[in-house]
Amino acid sequence: MHATTILMVRKGGRVVIGGDGQVSLGQTIVKGNARKVRRLAKGAVIGGFAGATADAFTLFERLEAKLEQYPGQLTRACVELTKDWRTDRYLRRLEAMMLVADKEVSLLLSGAGDVLEPETGVMAIGSGGNFALAAARALEDSEHDAETIVRKAMKIAADICVYTNGSLVLESLDGASAT
């Protein structure tokens, strides 16, 4: 899980996913402005990935197909994706994790078969994920909105984690269920 930080915050009727732009190959920074956060399902779902880029794109494509098969059912689409991810000989080798959200639900997906919903409105993945998670949890009871929390927490993660930079990409959905 080196080379990225993805943070999701759900607060005040909004869900925001932010990701840094750093791509590392070993100890070398290869790119500083990669886009690891995307919109799916015609903008109804947002997601971010940590891990191998080609693997993550494959998973995003598969998730998009599951969302077309199960429109408006993010949880079901994610469960079906992780079943395939866990059992398919090709997909089983993919090394990535994903955070996805729609207006109702936030989920973490992994190749181990995990489809996890956070207890609070905050979740993070990647090498700087624990730094961003701790910062966001410290800020979630403040007066700050979801986007401000993501921006502040990601800055803290970038200041601590060598695999995270300050080049931030954000996607958000308004009208989301508040946590």
Side-chain angles (χ1 to χ4, degrees):
M1 288 205 311
H2 289 300
T4 200
T5 301
I6 304 294
L7 174 64
M8 176 170 37
V9 174
R10 183 179 292 269
K11 183 179 179 184
R14 192 167 192 211
V15 61
V16 178
I17 296 179
D20 77 311
Q22 184 165 307
V23 176
S24 302
L25 189 58
Q27 296 177 338
T28 304
I29 298 169
V30 178
K31 185 175 182 177
N33 63 348
R35 187 170 175 82
K36 302 171 197 168
V37 177
R38 306 195 176 281
R39 288 189 168 275
L40 304 163
K42 299 177 184 165
V45 173
I46 55 177
F49 70 85
T53 306
D55 293 356
F57 286 140
T58 299
L59 292 168
F60 271 143
E61 288 172 7
R62 296 285 181 125
L63 179 57
E64 190 80 59
K66 295 294 183 187
L67 289 166
E68 287 176 14
Q69 187 176 357
Y70 304 105
Q73 300 178 61
L74 179 61
T75 302
R76 174 126 189 238
C78 289
V79 167
E80 294 300 322
L81 171 67
T82 55
K83 277 196 234 176
D84 292 349
W85 192 354
R86 184 95 172 112
T87 58
D88 182 272
R89 182 178 220 149
Y90 167 72
L91 293 178
R92 193 174 26 216
R93 296 186 186 138
L94 300 182
E95 296 182 17
M97 293 182 80
M98 298 170 66
L99 291 179
V100 295
D102 65 8
K103 290 183 179 184
E104 300 298 320
V105 67
S106 302
L107 300 168
L108 179 148
L109 311 177
S110 81
D114 298 313
V115 179
L116 304 172
E117 188 169 4
E119 287 182 7
T120 66
V122 180
M123 203 172 237
I125 57 174
S127 59
N130 287 335
F131 304 119
L133 179 64
R137 281 190 178 167
L139 293 167
E140 72 182 316
D141 289 335
S142 71
E143 73 285 350
H144 297 302
D145 65 5
E147 182 175 333
T148 302
I149 292 171
V150 169
R151 288 184 184 282
K152 287 178 176 282
M154 290 294 291
K155 179 174 182 343
I156 290 168
D159 288 346
I160 298 170
C161 178
V162 298
Y163 294 106
T164 303
N165 71 10
S167 178
L168 189 61
V169 174
L170 294 175
E171 289 288 353
S172 66
L173 294 171
D174 291 324
S177 300
T179 299

